[in-house]
Amino acid sequence: MNYIPKVIDAVVKNDLCIGCGMCVYKCPSKALEMNWDEYGFLIPKLSGNCDGEGACLTVCPFNPFPEQEVKTENELGNLFLKNTNQYHPKVGRYNGIYAGYSNEFRLTSSSGGIATYIFTELLEKGIVDHIFSVKESNQDGFHYEYGICSSKEEILAGSKTKYYPVTLATVMSKIHVLEGKVATVGVACFIKAIRLAQHKEPALREKIPFLIGIICGGVKSRFFTEYLAGKSSVIVENIKNPEFRIKDYNSTAGDYAFGCFDKNANQQKTIKMRTVGDMWGTGLFKANACDFCDDVTTELADVSLGDAWLQPYNVDGRGTNVVVTRSTFADTLIQDGVEEDKLTIEKLPLDRFLASQQGSFNHRHTGLSVRIKEAKKKNHPIPPKRFGNEKITLNFKIVQSLRMIIRQKSLDIWKMTADSVSFDKSMKNPLKQLKFVTQIYHYRREIEKRIQKLIK
């Protein structure tokens, strides 16, 4: 009998798949493969005979029915990050929080270059033999994919951020034939999938001894790349080597550009991201699963890296990282980097780090209750969440509801038109409405803060 894989029935059908591909690795009957869906995301599809046992679901980061010992990131953190000395409910377990950059790799990276520094140190110190990271793809229909890097040169060739769907399935299929140990980089849900796999298969803890987490604002559809290329006057068929974070050293950290090569013109065309509007706070082209993730800071990695979106770092166009160390070895790597003059680092107070990610905390923690309520109305099962119980104002509910509508609308419209001009025209009024209600929310929130100060 051929069953429907449980990960498809419980996760994919409820639009909670993030495309990590760990289910493909875990499936004992090899009945799953990753492929594009209608909205430009990678999802598992049935390709063989399913045994119906449900191993695929046990490693899914959005499993609605997890085992109690791995119920949330809290339980997983207790299992994998025991040697930490500090804890905060919004940060998870950690040892140290820093801001800084790599003296060697800063200018060739999307942010401060500390990820590239860590990769090279892990290889050169013999801690691992390979890195699973995102690099240029040779597959038709793909710009990027997870690949295996085994040298500094390979790491440098793929050192920048790619806001493009990728899957661990491309590399996890090789994990047991690859000699030596592996470090892996990923966003929060991908890191969680690896931890779940390590829980089910303890040998993977030794095989993958180090995880680098990237603090993420949301996984984007392939449509995001196609839209930005269109804004740069490059048609979909001619997109080559898209770059998502082209720095302007003479401007601010947020004033970066998108660029890609036009195959026909054989030249790179670019556009400043500030000219296309807010692509993150609005939720455009974002995966639905991201709206049910409450891990803002990649809590389950050995080290978490993000952008320092706060003064004075954000005025420096060369880029600066925020760094959260969660294992003793990760903290040692950072301290050694400072002593050897490879890193320029300073400690970052907890409240400053929290401020750097405040937008994500507002949306993914405070606003989570709105999305959970909507999912329950549709009888969609939701994974256990640690947040979503906060009381929120009517204004904030309206902002969250509009973001949900705009997220889906952006995918529907691009699916129909695949044209940036038509897309902008169709999205103009919904985005205006969102901007208006967001301004009202911020205005009223500021008034409430002032009143509270007067009362105190």
Side-chain angles (χ1 to χ4, degrees):
M1 185 174 179
N2 193 17
Y3 297 88
I4 297 173
K6 290 186 179 180
V7 75
I8 291 179
D9 201 41
V11 179
V12 178
K13 285 184 178 179
N14 290 307
D15 199 14
L16 282 175
C17 178
I18 198 61
C20 70
M22 194 58 73
C23 56
V24 175
Y25 162 77
K26 195 62 182 172
C27 177
S29 50
K30 307 300 177 189
L32 295 169
E33 66 178 11
M34 299 300 290
N35 218 321
W36 294 113
D37 73 358
E38 61 182 324
Y39 291 117
F41 294 105
L42 290 170
I43 62 169
K45 295 187 178 182
L46 188 63
S47 61
N49 294 321
C50 172
D51 63 9
E53 294 297 318
C56 55
L57 193 58
T58 65
V59 293
C60 177
F62 289 96
N63 178 6
F65 317 109
E67 297 170 1
Q68 197 64 30
E69 62 265 34
V70 291
K71 183 178 179 182
T72 70
E73 284 77 1
N74 288 349
E75 287 77 12
L76 282 163
N78 291 340
L79 288 173
F80 288 95
L81 301 170
K82 295 177 180 178
N83 296 322
T84 51
N85 53 37
Q86 299 191 72
Y87 174 80
H88 187 278
K90 289 185 178 295
V91 181
R93 291 172 168 268
Y94 70 98
N95 288 325
I97 301 177
Y98 311 92
Y101 53 85
S102 161
N103 297 328
E104 181 179 358
F105 305 117
R106 187 186 197 188
L107 299 185
T108 55
S109 301
S110 295
S111 189
I114 291 181
T116 307
Y117 159 77
I118 291 173
F119 294 153
T120 56
E121 289 294 302
L122 290 173
L123 286 177
E124 291 175 356
K125 292 179 185 295
I127 306 301
V128 300
D129 304 281
H130 313 281
I131 308 287
F132 285 172
S133 65
V134 180
K135 57 200 297 189
E136 190 176 340
S137 175
N138 294 319
Q139 288 191 73
D140 289 338
F142 291 79
H143 293 295
Y144 296 104
E145 65 181 8
Y146 263 97
I148 303 168
C149 294
S150 306
S151 69
K152 182 177 179 179
E153 291 71 29
E154 287 179 306
I155 291 167
L156 289 174
S159 63
K160 291 189 176 181
T161 300
K162 289 92 175 172
Y163 300 126
Y164 186 83
V166 292
T167 174
L168 285 164
T170 56
V171 288
M172 287 301 295
S173 61
K174 305 178 180 76
I175 189 75
H176 292 302
V177 296
L178 199 61
E179 290 187 10
K181 296 182 180 181
V182 178
T184 306
V185 62
V187 294
C189 45
F190 282 42
I191 297 296
K192 183 178 180 181
I194 294 170
R195 291 301 193 196
L196 288 167
Q198 289 177 325
H199 174 67
K200 301 302 288 186
E201 191 178 339
L204 285 179
R205 296 181 74 160
E206 186 176 345
K207 186 72 176 180
I208 310 175
F210 198 89
L211 298 177
I212 302 102
I214 303 300
I215 295 173
C216 167
V219 171
K220 296 290 192 184
S221 160
R222 186 186 71 206
F223 293 174
F224 178 61
T225 302
E226 296 172 359
Y227 170 73
L228 293 177
K231 296 291 286 183
S232 308
S233 303
V234 180
I235 63 173
V236 172
E237 293 78 13
N238 290 336
I239 300 171
K240 184 181 178 182
N241 302 129
E243 285 191 69
F244 300 90
R245 294 280 294 269
I246 301 173
K247 292 179 178 178
D248 184 343
Y249 303 143
N250 299 314
S251 187
T252 60
D255 190 26
Y256 55 86
F258 168 86
C260 67
F261 271 89
D262 185 331
K263 289 179 184 177
N264 273 2
N266 197 28
Q267 68 178 54
Q268 188 184 47
K269 296 183 179 179
T270 63
I271 185 170
K272 284 278 191 174
M273 288 300 294
R274 57 179 159 78
T275 67
V276 300
D278 181 6
M279 301 299 292
W280 299 98
T282 54
L284 292 171
F285 304 114
K286 185 173 67 174
N288 184 57
C290 298
D291 274 347
F292 294 91
C293 169
D294 60 8
D295 181 0
V296 172
T297 65
T298 60
E299 297 175 35
L300 300 177
D302 289 273
V303 62
S304 305
L305 305 173
D307 289 283
W309 298 125
L310 71 167
Q311 291 277 4
Y313 314 110
N314 59 357
V315 298
D316 191 336
R318 294 171 296 175
T320 307
N321 284 118
V322 288
V323 182
V324 183
T325 58
R326 305 181 187 277
S327 67
T328 304
F329 180 68
D331 210 59
T332 299
L333 276 178
I334 298 302
Q335 300 305 328
D336 287 350
V338 174
E339 290 178 15
E340 295 166 14
D341 201 29
K342 294 179 178 179
L343 298 178
T344 298
I345 290 285
E346 60 186 21
K347 286 189 176 181
L348 190 66
L350 174 63
D351 62 332
R352 296 271 287 149
F353 173 72
L354 294 173
S356 76
Q357 309 301 319
Q358 191 57 54
S360 279
F361 290 134
N362 288 344
H363 180 78
R364 289 157 67 182
H365 290 179
T366 310
L368 185 57
S369 60
V370 178
R371 298 184 291 279
I372 290 176
K373 188 175 180 180
E374 284 300 309
K376 286 181 177 178
K377 282 182 185 177
K378 299 174 184 176
N379 292 319
H380 287 179
I382 297 299
K385 296 287 106 182
R386 302 166 296 168
F387 299 89
N389 298 316
E390 298 178 49
K391 288 184 178 180
I392 59 175
T393 64
L394 177 61
N395 294 317
F396 193 59
K397 285 181 183 177
I398 294 171
V399 170
Q400 295 300 312
S401 296
L402 277 177
R403 283 180 177 176
M404 291 165 65
I405 292 168
I406 284 170
R407 186 203 67 79
Q408 185 60 51
K409 191 176 183 68
S410 69
L411 296 168
D412 288 332
I413 290 173
W414 191 263
K415 178 189 168 186
M416 289 187 295
T417 66
D419 176 75
S420 58
V421 175
S422 300
F423 179 89
D424 288 342
K425 187 176 180 180
S426 298
M427 294 300 298
K428 183 177 179 180
N429 286 335
L431 288 171
K432 266 188 176 180
Q433 291 173 358
L434 177 60
K435 185 176 181 180
F436 177 68
V437 299
T438 302
Q439 286 173 336
I440 291 175
Y441 162 67
H442 286 153
Y443 174 76
R444 290 189 172 179
R445 188 177 65 172
E446 190 59 35
I447 293 295
E448 288 170 3
K449 284 181 180 178
R450 292 183 181 183
I451 290 172
Q452 289 299 322
K453 281 185 178 180
L454 288 172
I455 292 171
K456 286 180 181 179

